[in-house]
Amino acid sequence: TQLLEQSPQFLSIQEGENLTVYCNSSSVFSSLQWYRQEPGEGPVLLVTVVTGGEVKKLKRLTFQFGDARKDSSLHITAAQPGDTGLYLCAGAEGGSNYKLTFGKGTLLTVNP
Amino acid sequence: GAGVSQSPSNKVTEKGKDVELRCDPISGHTALYWYRQSLGQGLEFLIYFQGNSAPDKSGLPSDRFSAERTGGSVSTLTIQRTQQEDSAVYLCASSSPEVQLFFGSGTQLSVL
C-alpha cells in the first residue's frame, strides 16, 4: 500500500506570511494532485503535476513535484484569510487516475 | 444542477440499521467514485464505476458495504448493519475518464 505523509498537520499563520506544505512518500507516483477542501464541502482540485521536477504556479500558490516523483510541496506566498482550508495531496498509481491515495491533509488557518 | 449532488447531507442512524447514500453525478460523466473521509484521516478509496465495465470494489472495507450504479448515472452506496466505526463523511466524485475528479459535498454519517 502506497502512503502519503503530509506535514505539518496543522498550521496557523498571520495574513501576509509565507508557508510551505509538504507531501512525502517512499513510493513513486505517476502523478500527484493537490486539493483544497473547505468545511462541509468536497475537495476541489487545485493542480496536477506529472513530470519529475515540474513546477506549476497558480497565482500565489507554487506547486513542485520532486525529481523522483515521490514527494511534492505547496508554497503559498503572502497568505490571505481566503486561503484557509484543508490542503490534501493525492497520488495516482501507475497510469490510472482513479484509485488515488490521499494524505491526511494540512489544516491551514490564516488569521487576519 | 451543474455539480455532483449527494443526499442526504446528514444521516444519523442507530447501530445495526441499514443506510443508503445517493450520488447524482455530473451529466455526461462516465466515471463515478466513492471515497470515505474519517475524522483526522485522508480520503479512503471505496469503489469505482466506469461506464459498463465491472466496478473496482477493491476498497470496500467489508461485505456490509455495497454499491450500484443504475443506468450509468445515479449511484447508491449501501451499508448494512451499520457499526460505529462506519461514522464518516462519504464523498462521491465523477469525471470523464482519467480527467479531473469533481466531488460532491458528501454525506455525514453518524452511527450511534
Side-chain angles (χ1 to χ4, degrees), chain A residues 7 10 12 27 35 71 102:
Chain A
S7 61
F10 300 98
S12 180
S27 302
Y35 292 80
D71 55 86
F102 279 83

Side-chain angles (χ1 to χ4, degrees), chain B residues 73-107:
Chain B
S73 181
V74 172
S75 177
T76 302
L77 177 68
T78 301
I79 308 173
Q80 296 178 310
R81 304 181 302 282
T82 53
Q83 304 294 312
Q84 288 184 333
E85 60 264 28
D86 299 335
S87 296
V89 176
Y90 289 82
L91 290 161
C92 175
S94 71
S95 75
S96 295
E98 307 299 322
V99 187
Q100 177 180 349
L101 273 68
F102 291 86
F103 283 87
S105 297
T107 293

Side-chain angles (χ1 to χ4, degrees), chain A residues 9 33 35 37 40-45 86 88 95-105, chain B residues 33 35 37 40-45 48 56 58 91 95 98-106:
Chain A
Q9 187 176 358
Q33 301 176 5
Y35 292 80
Q37 185 178 22
E41 300 294 327
V44 176
L45 180 67
L86 179 67
L88 296 158
S96 173
N97 188 43
Y98 75 85
K99 196 182 291 186
L100 296 174
T101 299
F102 279 83
K104 294 182 180 181
Chain B
Y33 319 71
Y35 281 82
Q37 186 174 29
Q41 302 296 318
L43 276 70
E44 174 190 12
F45 168 79
Y48 165 71
D56 180 345
S58 61
L91 290 161
S95 75
E98 307 299 322
V99 187
Q100 177 180 349
L101 273 68
F102 291 86
F103 283 87
S105 297

